Amino acid sequence: MIGQKPDVLFHHFNSIGNKNYLLYVCKLVEKGFKQKIQPIYIQTNNQQQAEQLDKLLWTFKQDSFIPHAIVGASDLDSPVQIGWNENQFHPAEAIVNLSEEIPISFLESKKIHEIIDDDEVKKNKARERWRNYKSEGCQLDFTKSSN
């Protein structure tokens, strides 16, 4: 993807509980998977959140199947990879970022979804990421989301 910068969409929630927040991520990943966007990398805050999301992706919908794995597990060919800042997957066609850090391979992706809740500290970190993406020439957009 030489020369083309990723599109970055910031999803902002006014108020959302942790479970609803992760369910939103599952629905977003399911939509991308059904559109044959692969691989999708989900960057979480830490290993605990990665494991929580791993379990939720298996159970969030009875009629849905999203093959996925935690980065470093045996299934490196899985179309959806879940990691965290110290355990990242790349390159990915799309990234869903739940962490406060920009994924290391963001310039290799076509689309990045930044998921932001209504915590002031997290919003300030998101503003920093917005400025960083903008300085790299990424196309930026913003949406208010609800679960």
Side-chain angles (χ1 to χ4, degrees):
M1 220 181 82
I2 298 172
Q4 186 178 352
K5 305 292 182 165
D7 294 330
V8 183
L9 179 59
F10 282 74
H11 302 253
H12 176 258
F13 293 94
N14 284 332
S15 175
I16 191 165
N18 186 49
K19 185 171 182 179
N20 290 336
Y21 176 78
L22 294 179
L23 281 173
Y24 180 85
V25 170
C26 290
K27 291 173 188 174
L28 185 64
V29 170
E30 178 186 43
K31 181 179 176 184
F33 177 72
K34 285 182 176 179
Q35 293 173 352
K36 301 197 183 325
I37 297 170
Q38 295 180 17
I40 298 171
Y41 168 56
I42 307 167
Q43 181 161 304
T44 62
N45 286 305
N46 51 47
Q47 185 174 355
Q48 180 184 0
Q49 188 179 41
E51 291 170 353
Q52 184 180 11
L53 189 57
D54 174 49
K55 289 177 187 166
L56 193 56
L57 277 168
W58 290 120
T59 61
F60 85 101
K61 253 180 157 180
Q62 272 190 312
D63 63 342
S64 179
F65 175 71
I66 302 169
H68 64 280
I70 290 182
V71 175
S74 58
D75 191 1
L76 294 175
D77 293 330
S78 181
V80 176
Q81 296 283 330
I82 307 167
W84 53 96
N85 293 338
E86 299 81 21
N87 189 35
Q88 296 190 31
F89 174 84
H90 58 87
E93 185 172 345
I95 296 173
V96 178
N97 189 18
L98 309 180
S99 79
E100 295 178 0
E101 304 294 326
I102 293 178
I104 57 174
S105 64
F106 76 97
L107 287 174
E108 300 173 44
S109 297
K110 291 182 181 176
K111 182 88 173 191
I112 301 167
H113 295 272
E114 287 278 344
I115 312 298
I116 314 300
D117 65 17
D118 201 34
D119 175 87
E120 264 323 298
V121 172
K122 291 180 182 178
K123 285 195 294 189
N124 285 332
K125 294 272 190 184
R127 288 180 186 109
E128 286 177 31
R129 291 194 305 281
W130 178 283
R131 286 189 291 274
N132 288 334
Y133 287 128
K134 187 174 185 175
S135 72
E136 290 289 343
C138 299
Q139 291 292 114
L140 301 172
D141 205 355
F142 170 87
T143 184
K144 288 223 179 224
S145 300
S146 62
N147 56 356

